[in-house]
Structures are given as C-alpha cells and as structure tokens.
Amino acid sequence: MLIPAREVSVTQHGSVNGDGNDSGSGSGGGDGSGGPGDWWRESVVYQVYVPSFADADGDGMGDLRGIADRLGHVAELGADAIWLTPFYRSPLADGGYDVADHRDVDPRHGTLDDFRVLLGRARALGLRTIVDIVPNHTSDQHPWFAEALAADPGSAARDRYVFRDGTGPDGARPPADWQSKFGGAAWTRVPDGQWYMHIFAAEQPDLNWENPDVIADFERTLRFWLDLGVDGFRIDVAHGLRKDLAPPLRDTRGGDSASLNSPPSGEDHPFWDRDEVHDVYRAWRKITDSYAPPRIMVAEAGVSAARLPLYTRPDELQQAFNFFHLRCPWEAGAFRGVIDTSLAGAASTGSLPTWVLSNHDVVRHRSRYALPDSTDLPGWLLTGGLDPAADEERGRRRARAAALLTLALPGTTYLYQGEELGLPEVADLPEDALRDPMWERTGHARKGRDGCRVPLPWTGTGPSYGFGPQGSWLPQPDGWGAWSVEAQSGRPGSFLELYRTALALRRGFRGDERFTWLPSAPGELAFSKGAGLVCRVNLSGEPLPLTVPTGSVTLLTSDELTAGGAGNADGPGLLPPDTAVWLDSRAR
C-alpha cells in the first residue's frame, strides 16, 4: 500500500499551502541565500563548542586561536556559518554559560584581538559568525552580583536579580517551590536571610528582566558584538527571561517546572514562556535591523509546537530551534508529523524551520539511534553505556540516513561539531572527570552532558589526537583517533565524506523551498524539495522496492542500493533498512 502524495509549498516569506500555490514574494537568490538580508533561510550552521574544538596554547582548553586555525575544516565541509558557544569571562561553572563579563573574552579562550582575527578568518573563508548571548542569568562572580550581595535587601543592586524573602518561620523555606533544571531547589539563601533565584546552578543567578538596568545593559552588549562585526546571536534560554514576580510567588505543581519543556499551550507558568518575553525580542529586533545587512537571531526555546512560532513573528526573531526533530523516535509516521508541524508553524510567520540532530546538551544522535527508542538516556549513561547495549551498526546506519533526511528539508540545518565524523557519545567517562554541574546537584543521579563535549579528534595520534599540543580538559577515549578528520578525509564511505558530498550537493538545490510528500510505502519517508531533489528514507526495518531512473542517484548512505538486479536503467532495486537516498529528478 502506498501513502498518497501531498504537496506542501514553502515559499520565500510566504506560507505552507496544501495546494502548492506560491504565496510568497520569491525574492530569494538562485543559490538559496536569498540575498544578504536573509542568507540564513536555507543555510548550514556549524556549532562550535568552544572548549572542545581546538586548543592552540596547550592548556587543554579550546580557544579562539585554535578555532581560527581549524576553520578551514568547516569551510571545506560546506557550512555557511559558525555558531560559537560562550567564550566570555567566566568561572566555567557551567561550561561558560555562567558569564562574568558579557563584553570580554575569558583568558582561557584568548583575547578580543583573537576574536577579531577569528572573525576575519571566517570572513575570508566565506563563513558568517553567530555568537551565543546568555541573557537569563549571570555568573555569581559578575560584578553586579557581588554588588547585590554587599547591598541591603530591597536595594537597587538586588533588584537586578530575583531576591525574595523566604517563607515559614524565620523565612527558612524558599520563597516558592520552583525547581532548578540542574537538580534541587531554584533558590539559594544568602547570609542576611534572603533567597535568590537560579533556574540552573546556584552559580548562575537569574536576572530580573523588569529592571531597566538589565534591559539597557544587554542592549549595549548586543551593539558591542554587532559593532565588532558578528552576523547574529543564538539566544540561550530564550523562553525563560520574564517571570511572574508579583507576590505571593506561585507554586508550580509539585516541581514540574524542572522540565525543559513549557507547560501545555495556554497554561500560565510563572517563569517559562511568558507572553511578556516577546517584548524583549521586539526591542532587540529593532537593534539588529538597524545594521546593514540585518543580523540573525535564533532562539533556544523549549516550548510547545503551538507556541514556538510566536518567537519568529516578523518583528521578533528569524529562527527558533526545532527540538521536536531532535527528539523524534525512529519511526516514519513520527518524523512525518514533526516535519508537517514544523513547516506549517514556521510558515505561519513567514519563516522556515531549523533542523538539528545533536548539540552540546544531548546524547549524540549516533548513540541515541543505536539504542531502543524507550531507553532512559540518563540511566544508560549511569551504566557507562553498557545497559542497554548499543547496536553500533544500527546507530551508524541511522545516523547517516538521518543526516540526508535532515539536510534535504527546507530550512536551516544546525550541525554539532563532530557529527560530521560520526562521533558517538562517550558514555563511560570516569566520575572524577565529570565537569557538568548536574552531577553534583543531583546527588550523582545524572551524569550530565560531558559525554557529548569530549574534545574533537583531528589526527590519528598525538597527546590529544590533534586537539592541542598537550592533553584535553575532558579525557578522550583510547582509539579516538580512528574517528578523526585525518583518518576520514578522502576515505570513500566515511562519515566525513558523506557530509562533504551532501553539503556540496545541497547547494545545487537551494533557492526553491517547495516541499512535497511523494507516494511511499509504510515505514518509508519520500518527498521532493524544490524542482529537483528527491529524498527517500527507509525506516521500516525491511528492504523496500525503489525504482531508480537512469543517472538519478546522487547520494546513498549505504554501500549497496540493491541486492540483485541493481543498476538496470529504470529498473527496480531494494532500498535497505535504515538507509536514505537522494535522487535528482532533473536527470529523468
């Protein structure tokens, strides 16, 4: 039985239409960049996790000079831009997301001059640069917080943060039941008896976004980096800035607030996804639009599918991360539902979806796909990746197929460093090496995110496999060099060559954002993107028939397309399980 075709048109600045009619302006250029003002619509952005990309000075920690030296890899891969995680002054209690100075570089990562060199190197290679902005909280080592601790309750200095009196006798209980994302209460008591709020670690006090000092200071921060020449911002915890701070503070249903996802659409939560947060982004959009060409902003917003498009309205942000795609189980119907919902939601605001498979906060997708969909990933990490046992071959095949599926979709793909190498999660890091604050705050109940942050292997040998001249801040596994750029470059069938080929081919299909579901068998995804690219993915577990027009196969994730009878012009073949193929319909 075939699932019937259905056309969905996704047009520049237009909408999704079931009838395939073009309702957009069609202003995009032939290469899909859409001109300098909207280059991001069909771009590929490579995420650089700064501590783990490359180390130039030998201290074991990644730095800006190391990144600049290795940017040729990103350009050769075929990416359009890099996104740098925080490199600002920080005690590194949470990998740099605890910022002590938003307008300077941490000495462990380099200097402002190093950043200028990196920016120039990126430009010379044709890469744009997006930097992380962390507006929900600061480090507890930020000068503002030191000032707040030295000041009296009710002072102007404390009003920049969320300080409150406790409840119960002598105020000994937290002001509300709000829970930290990293475990435990979201409140810490200071010596004079008041409590301050932190959605994350105690070293990350939340800012009060009703305070004009906070608003003005972040506008200065945006302009500082824009004036240096950055092309945009990734906004950390974009859905968490505004809180309902009116007394008495409301409880949150027994601690459900610890979830990254917001409550169901329409529910009034005291600190996730409040309507007032959009006032912040409307003001920021005016700032970024004042630069020529306008800069991009992308939200990290863990909200419902119904609420996500609100962040990409025409006067707010251009993009929001699509975590539904990342969390989707390996099942054709589930992917189809996520793709439909994502395209429709983005098109309702004239934007396009983002697509992401991994990032610095989740188990790498090669390892996720090697496990049953029902696996409790934190529990799996606690076993050192032994229970359940990973099916490495299945993980390899599915990760490769997922790459072609993702890169064929209309919109922007965000790649996480190392996925182009097929890196697995390092699930067996020794406990004494763990750096994620989650480990201690949960009483060793969650190992945290260190396993996806192990520094990259660049070479097959060396003290840190080419990461730097010495060791690395997180231990790399024995044999890590087998995954390296050096080991995979020029090797047919490697992950790296698959990504290089896919990104090169993808450029030839940009500029036409139309999307159409094609007839497919149960367990198969089949669609066309634009006028030429056809993608078929077999998620069924069994080989599926595939008619192969002469010359149309452009890229395949497995070694063989068929088992017997392969290669006959317009003849039937078999698409193996957990395999994707790109076809060029223009070759027919």
Side-chain angles (χ1 to χ4, degrees):
M1 182 182 78
L2 291 181
I3 298 172
R6 181 171 66 83
E7 183 170 292
V8 178
S9 176
V10 186
T11 57
Q12 290 279 28
H13 311 295
S15 61
V16 171
N17 301 294
D19 61 2
N21 292 327
D22 185 344
S23 65
S25 65
S27 61
D31 63 355
S33 66
D38 57 359
W39 59 267
W40 51 81
R41 286 184 67 86
E42 289 203 277
S43 59
V44 172
V45 181
Y46 185 97
Q47 180 190 353
V48 173
Y49 186 69
V50 172
S52 298
F53 189 74
D55 169 27
D57 61 15
D59 66 354
M61 177 71 65
D63 48 46
L64 300 182
R65 286 199 293 121
I67 295 169
D69 290 344
R70 293 288 192 181
L71 278 183
H73 166 71
V74 182
E76 186 178 357
L77 186 66
D80 302 287
I82 55 171
W83 150 33
L84 301 173
T85 60
F87 50 85
Y88 316 116
R89 286 189 177 268
S90 169
L92 298 183
D94 181 28
Y97 284 92
D98 50 316
V99 180
D101 186 339
H102 293 82
R103 299 190 286 272
D104 199 5
V105 176
D106 191 279
R108 284 164 289 192
H109 297 317
T111 66
L112 277 172
D113 281 341
D114 291 333
F115 179 77
R116 293 183 180 97
V117 169
L118 187 160
L119 203 59
R121 174 68 172 154
R123 284 199 196 104
L125 291 169
L127 296 168
R128 291 177 168 89
T129 303
I130 297 169
V131 299
D132 234 306
I133 194 83
V134 188
N136 179 73
H137 47 263
T138 71
S139 165
D140 63 350
Q141 302 301 307
H142 192 286
W144 274 5
F145 195 69
E147 185 182 351
L149 291 179
D152 294 329
S155 64
R158 287 205 175 178
D159 189 61
R160 295 176 182 139
Y161 294 91
V162 183
F163 278 86
R164 291 295 183 270
D165 293 330
T167 60
D170 301 319
R173 291 201 299 268
D177 75 340
W178 299 357
Q179 299 295 298
S180 163
K181 277 289 299 167
F182 290 168
W187 299 91
T188 291
R189 202 175 194 189
V190 300
D192 61 28
Q194 277 204 313
W195 300 72
Y196 69 88
M197 181 192 178
H198 48 88
I199 293 181
F200 297 95
E203 296 87 350
Q204 295 167 289
D206 277 44
L207 289 163
N208 173 17
W209 271 88
E210 296 179 6
N211 186 291
D213 288 351
V214 173
I215 295 169
D217 194 69
F218 269 90
E219 290 183 356
R220 284 193 291 272
T221 294
L222 294 179
R223 293 188 184 279
F224 177 85
W225 295 106
L226 290 168
D227 289 344
L228 280 176
V230 304
D231 297 285
F233 301 97
R234 177 263 190 187
I235 303 169
D236 187 57
V237 198
H239 60 309
L241 273 58
R242 293 297 298 267
K243 285 89 174 172
D244 179 4
L245 300 175
L249 298 180
R250 294 182 290 131
D251 283 346
T252 55
R253 301 170 295 125
D256 283 353
S257 59
S259 171
L260 175 64
N261 295 324
S262 296
S265 179
E267 186 167 333
D268 183 24
H269 193 280
F271 58 85
W272 286 138
D273 190 30
R274 297 192 60 78
D275 287 339
E276 305 95 288
V277 79
H278 298 281
D279 295 337
V280 176
Y281 304 129
R282 291 187 186 99
W284 286 11
R285 181 62 179 266
K286 292 178 182 177
I287 293 172
T288 58
D289 279 356
S290 70
Y291 287 76
R295 299 338 193 225
I296 184 180
M297 293 183 288
V298 56
E300 182 206 31
V303 302
S304 68
R307 297 279 296 179
L308 192 63
L310 299 179
Y311 289 80
T312 60
R313 286 176 288 195
D315 61 344
E316 295 191 42
L317 311 177
Q318 288 87 354
Q319 292 183 341
F321 282 140
N322 180 4
F323 296 128
F324 306 102
H325 186 71
L326 179 153
R327 293 193 294 264
C328 193
W330 193 255
E331 194 272 319
F335 270 113
R336 189 176 177 116
V338 165
I339 291 167
D340 277 342
T341 300
S342 302
L343 288 170
S348 71
T349 61
S351 62
L352 279 173
T354 64
W355 310 101
V356 58
L357 293 170
S358 284
N359 62 36
H360 64 290
D361 286 331
V362 299
V363 171
R364 285 187 177 273
H365 64 271
R366 174 169 183 157
S367 293
R368 296 200 315 269
Y369 289 146
L371 298 167
D373 287 335
S374 60
T375 301
D376 170 45
L377 292 173
W380 177 74
L381 289 172
L382 286 173
T383 72
L386 298 177
D387 187 15
D391 184 335
E392 298 294 347
E393 174 59 18
R394 184 176 70 181
R396 183 189 75 87
R397 294 177 68 91
R398 289 184 175 182
R400 292 167 66 85
L404 288 202
L405 165 64
T406 301
L407 288 165
L409 294 167
T412 298
T413 302
Y414 282 78
L415 306 179
Y416 178 48
Q417 64 176 46
E419 75 170 82
E420 78 280 13
L421 304 177
L423 292 184
E425 184 81 1
V426 183
D428 59 351
L429 285 170
E431 293 181 359
D432 60 3
L434 298 178
R435 304 288 190 92
D436 194 321
M438 235 183 260
W439 175 240
E440 295 296 337
R441 285 192 60 84
T442 62
H444 299 180
R446 295 175 72 96
K447 287 182 78 171
R449 302 156 293 176
D450 290 320
C452 68
R453 300 175 175 185
V454 173
L456 291 186
W458 293 93
T459 59
T461 59
S464 60
Y465 300 105
F467 169 68
Q470 302 297 326
S472 60
W473 69 281
L474 281 173
Q476 299 160 304
D478 292 340
W480 201 231
W483 305 95
S484 68
V485 175
E486 179 183 67
Q488 296 193 44
S489 289
R491 195 182 84 210
S494 69
F495 264 87
L496 179 56
E497 293 304 331
L498 174 72
Y499 270 77
R500 285 174 173 171
T501 303
L503 266 63
L505 290 170
R506 187 180 188 273
R507 287 182 177 271
F509 295 105
R510 297 200 302 193
D512 187 342
E513 299 169 357
R514 290 174 298 167
F515 178 87
T516 303
W517 288 114
L518 301 175
S520 59
E524 181 187 27
L525 293 175
F527 60 87
S528 65
K529 191 268 179 185
L533 178 59
V534 172
C535 179
R536 291 186 176 272
V537 189
N538 181 0
L539 300 91
S540 72
E542 300 292 336
L544 293 176
L546 177 69
T547 298
V548 187
T550 303
S552 68
V553 175
T554 60
L555 191 57
L556 181 69
T557 60
S558 68
D559 297 329
E560 297 291 339
L561 180 60
T562 63
N568 294 329
D570 300 316
L574 293 177
L575 186 65
D578 300 328
T579 300
V581 62
W582 280 4
L583 309 172
D584 186 348
S585 63
R586 297 171 299 189
R588 299 179 184 180

